[in-house]
Amino acid sequence: MQDPTPVTPEAVGLCSERLERIDAWMRAYVEAGKLAGLSVTVGRGGAVAWSRARGLCDLDRNRPMAPETIVRIYSMTKPLTSVAVMMLYEEGRFQLDDPVTRFLPEFRGMRVLTGGSRRKWESVPAERDITVRDLLTHTAGLTYGFMESTLVDAMYRDEGVDFQTAETSLAEVVAKAAALPLLSQPGAEWNYSIATDVLGHLVAVVSGIPFDVFLRERVIRRLGMRDTDFHVPPDKLDRFASNYAFGPDGRLALIDDAREGRYARPRAVASGGGGLVSTAADYARFCRFILNGGDLDGVRLLGRKSVALMTTNHLRGDLADMGQPRFSESSYSGIGFGLGFSVMLDPAKAQILGTPGEVAWGGAASTAFWIDPAEDLFVILLTQLMPSSALPLRRELRVLTYAALVDQAPSARR
């Protein structure tokens, strides 16, 4: 599979001069020492119209950031896992409103926390079972241990419910989560959570194939995503970026080395919620696949109506209407959620440039992407800085990118 020949910005209705503002923005962050390096890819009309990399992907080894640099995409894994789920849905293996207990009996008899302490917590029975749709939309009542804001979060930490660091198995971590209470009634609130990791286990149980094998063989390889996997093999480590955070002195500090970190060897648990590494070129192929309605270069993984369902808001209103979210890779007002993506509902309410129907998500190391079907546009931001809330990169890049749109979307789409 070959990627389409890059086009000039003007050929697809973008302004080269305005896109260069993105380059100045990138250089400013690198020169200020706030980012080691970053890359931005802008695609329109089925082709890449602008791509640039600045800075270093590894400060200690002085290796430059490049379009082929491999990075941890963390939660940008979630849309690929959701595609795997929808492929099984299209095969008639389940319905979206089916209870997950049909396949994962460990979720029977769930209880919802109402109070108490770690040693003696109080709860009430869940009013209904968690459904597949609940997991896809993060309305299952699950949470993340790293949030450190609720008693259930603390229980996750105590019991080792962490798909990134677990050394057991996917099934065992899911079983630990199922033994703990829910944060809210299924379907009642939107809470960013381990739900997509549970979906990875669901894929394995329903298909009879280990989740990492299913995702690699049925999705990643068929889409021609050559550098996307759950770890980086030895022959690719020279292209792998190190990961950073701000230290106590405000300077970038290494938190996960490219050569010595946990991604440099196969992982015990394949995290469907945040375990993949990828490149700009690979993720551009995924974005084109979604823009094309489930097909890429003649390889169809999903029907166009399934993609349309995934990219439609499934919440009753926006994220702000669904309880009080504590954390996500998106703002809340004006933003809904589909089956694996956030969905732009109202740019004015979100107070950012955008288009209703645009889908997006990001990762913990400040990566992000968005896909705008109305504008036939996709944008990918790759860097390695944790947490993703450290800098306002995503909102700034959205303004710079949309400001470069000067003509209507091209009618031709690959």
Side-chain angles (χ1 to χ4, degrees), residues 141-190:
L142 301 170
T143 185
Y144 268 125
F146 68 78
M147 292 187 191
E148 301 190 7
S149 59
T150 73
L151 182 55
V152 182
D153 302 345
M155 292 178 182
Y156 277 35
R157 296 193 299 277
D158 290 346
E159 298 301 322
V161 181
D162 187 339
F163 293 85
Q164 288 291 318
T165 61
E167 295 294 337
T168 53
S169 70
L170 182 56
E172 288 186 41
V173 185
V174 169
K176 287 181 179 181
L180 298 174
L182 298 175
L183 192 60
S184 61
Q185 290 288 346
E189 297 180 3
W190 190 91

Side-chain angles (χ1 to χ4, degrees), residues 43-46 286-294 304 307-312 341-345 354-360 369-379 398 402 405 407-413:
R44 205 176 192 211
F286 179 73
C287 291
R288 289 174 54 221
F289 158 75
I290 295 297
L291 273 174
N292 290 350
R304 64 181 181 84
V307 174
L309 185 64
M310 293 180 73
T311 55
T312 297
F341 308 85
S342 65
V343 181
M344 175 68 77
L345 302 178
T355 308
E358 158 206 308
V359 296
F369 78 97
W370 72 90
I371 300 170
D372 188 333
E375 294 290 351
D376 201 3
L377 174 80
F378 67 84
V379 180
R398 292 177 66 86
Y402 275 115
L405 282 174
D407 290 336
Q408 292 296 317
S411 58
R413 179 178 296 167

